[in-house]
Amino acid sequence: QVQLVEFGGGLVQAGGSLRLSCAASGRTGSWYVVGWFRQAPGKERDFVAAIRWDSINTRYVDSVKGRFTISRDNAKNTAYLQMNSLKPEDTAVYYCAARMYTIATMEKDFSFWGQGTQVTVSS
C-alpha cells in the first residue's frame, strides 16, 4: 500500500492563497490517481479535485473551479493543491487520497488516505 501525508494547512484571510502538499511513500504504484477531499465540521467529506498519474486528466468540484489547481510531481512523489481566492466556506480539514487505475471523484473509490490538514479561512 501507499502512505500519504498532507502538509501546508493553516490560517489565512479570505481572498488569500495556500498550497497544500501530499507526500506519498511505500508502494506508490497505488498512487496512480490522487484526489483531494475536504470535510467541514458537522459535514460529510466532499470531493475537491483529482488528477491522473500523467496529469492529463483532472477533475474539480464546481465550487473550486477557477480558484483551485491540482498538480503532481511524480519524481518527488508529491501532489499539490494550489488554493487561490479562498473563501470562509473553504474552511475544512483537507485530505489527500489515492487509488489505482481510473480517475474518480467519489470517496468510496479511493483506498488510501492521509491524516488531513486543517485549512481555516477567516473573514
Side-chain angles (χ1 to χ4, degrees), residues 68-98:
F68 291 11
T69 302
I70 189 170
S71 63
R72 63 192 296 169
D73 186 338
N74 293 333
K76 297 180 179 179
N77 289 328
T78 303
Y80 307 94
L81 184 67
Q82 178 67 46
M83 304 183 293
N84 299 325
S85 301
L86 284 163
K87 305 174 181 179
E89 51 262 44
D90 295 319
T91 295
V93 176
Y94 283 71
Y95 296 88
C96 177

Side-chain angles (χ1 to χ4, degrees), residues 10-11 14 22 31 43-44 51-52 56-58 60 64 70 72-73 76 89 92 94 101 106 117:
L11 175 64
C22 174
W31 200 55
K43 297 184 178 180
E44 298 295 320
I51 187 169
R52 202 170 71 175
I56 293 176
N57 290 338
T58 59
Y60 296 93
V64 308
I70 189 170
R72 63 192 296 169
D73 186 338
K76 297 180 179 179
E89 51 262 44
Y94 283 71
Y101 309 122
M106 300 182 68
T117 184

